[in-house]
Amino acid sequence: MESPLSLTKDDRLLTGWGRTNPSLGRMHRCADAADVQRAVLAAGPRGVLARGLGRSYGDAAQSGGGTILDLQALDGITFDAAAGTVTAGAGASLDAVMRAVVPQGAFVPVTPGTRMITVGGAIGADVHGKNHHVDGTFGAHVQRLTLVDGSGELRELTPDGPSASQFWATVGGMGLTGAVVEATFDMIPVTSSLMSVDTRRVRDLDEAMAHMAADDAQHRYTVAWIDSVSASGRGIITSGDHAPVEQLSAQQRESALAFAPKALATAPPVFPSGLLNTLTIRAFNEAWFRRAPKERVDELQSIGAFFHPLDGVQEWNRVYGPRGFLQYQFVVPDAAGHVVRTALDRLRSTGAPSFLTVLKRFGPANPAPLSFPQPGWTLAADVPAGIDGLGAALDELDELVSSVGGRLYLAKDSRQSPQMFARTHPRLHEWQQVRDALDPRGVFTSDLARRLSI
Amino acid sequence: MNDALGEPQSVLVLGGTSEIALATVRAFPRGRLRRVVLAARPSNHRDAAVASLTAAGVSGVVAVDFDAIDTAGHGAFVDSVFDSGDVDVVLLAFGVLGDQLAAEADPELAVQVATTNYTGAVSVGLHVARRLRTQGHGTLVVFSSVAGDRARRSNFIYGSTKAGLDAFAQGLGDALHGTGASVLVVRPGFVRTRMTAGMPEAPMTVEASAVATIVVASLRKGRETVYAPGPLRFVMAALKTLPRPVFRRMPR
């Protein structure tokens, strides 16, 4: 006799990249779009959700008791060199897209700090990168996409025209309007696979922000690492552009467009809680800061080193130990730049050390109602989840962020309240109307959607 | 849904007038709680519990009828609660102390204690486990007792029900391991509540709020078994090693 409590073979305990708050989902591998349609029609009361490579930090790509669609088989990648576009299956990773297309002289329009994300995930979270101030989000470069909606229908959506509202609800919609199965997006033409990088140490946060505000337009890519342990908020600004082939040495030109990065190591599965504490992170940050030159221009770096330093270590998220970690990322308008300082101070006084603290200036927002970026400053800080008082400190910061018209990034969020979410997304109702039309039965859902009452 | 820091949004209290359970509800950060279901037989105590939690700023507090010994109705009851939304934490907190000496004279009184504390808990516990398993997350907190660690002459009927409940809860936790659902077994010592009013206090007596703090911290850490207060773990470990002739002669 089968017990209702027993696990079945497709059950998987899933978490986000932060490894907090697991829930059990039933994995369902889809071979093609028709499989996705069938899975939606067969959905049980706990619904369905597409999950990519699990790089969102919180509970966006999990759904307790639900059917989790694994679209890794939808991995086709077609490069149209004449149009400068790629058409890819939702399950194709940006890593795979780059491996296929960089040697042909094209780069993805936007990449976050990891290329281990899927095309479907990039659209669902409407990811941004170091070039947001110039190029906007990933969704802004999507020309068309195919969505399986909540009725199991295949829909062709475009950013303009009659399907525009559904398109933009899907961009940044966290997979809640349906499952993206394919998309066509613009690529950036490049003549080499190297980056020309300027590095500059800054003494404190004010200098970092002043420099970034003044210098943003000079480079396509720019970001600052902030030493969250130092009271001054010293840091390192790195700016870059795709290196033109002319900048390469004769030897480098022989393989100007080569792109075949390897993962260097895998983090071991067992790390004790508390390994990353204020002391160890202070030591790391000191070394990291000293390692950077005071100022250096036009250094050639690989794509991996410039965009995805952490992809060199697989499963680095294990270093935070069994309690996991979370990433707090907010955006505030330019006029409220002081919130960045307050947030760093508050995290430090809570004893929440962050060794990945990144500051970035956003350009204009796009039409997507739930898309995260808006003009201003965004700060992202990793913090271990087990710290006493962390919840109260972050709730306070939530209040501050919302009071100045800012908000949190859903791909990172794992703890904001539904009230905070609703208050900081004034177009939520508009989005919900479009979502309800696409998914009248409420088939697509996630733990994040349940937590935030979306 | 729980958030990444382990704060629940919805709580079901089985035995909705239990002071320890109500203190536990109060110990959760109020901003996150959206639904608190107090399940108990209708009574003034239940009305007062709803009123006091609501007055304390807890939102979404409702009372529903629930009888621990009506095992035939448990399935439909649990389904109705879970059908109207996920439940992050279930506090299984009902129980009666009974009158040991009276029950020795009238076994029917002992049966009532056993039916409530053990049979009722097994029944509703399995129904809750089934629904937690289906929703893929959530924790069942079972309030056991140090009285179940080793039954004493003075209250072995109550103690034996808690011993059985404790063993059941541990096994249920093992059955749910890896499913996203879990069981936390809490073993309080002597707690100042209505149940113990007028009884001579034991060493390491605590208030309900102290137990609540331990429960909330243990949920956050994902623990499986916890004593309240914590050092009782060592006291009980020592008591369990005493030879019976010695243990039998211990006061109370």
Side-chain angles (χ1 to χ4, degrees), chain B residues 36 43 51 96 152 165 174 244:
Chain B
V36 177
S43 71
V96 290
R152 294 198 316 271
L165 174 64
D174 289 340
R244 278 188 54 192

Side-chain angles (χ1 to χ4, degrees), chain A residues 160-178:
Chain A
D160 308 298
S163 63
S165 65
Q166 287 111 334
F167 176 92
W168 290 110
T170 300
V171 168
M174 304 307 287
L176 299 173
T177 61

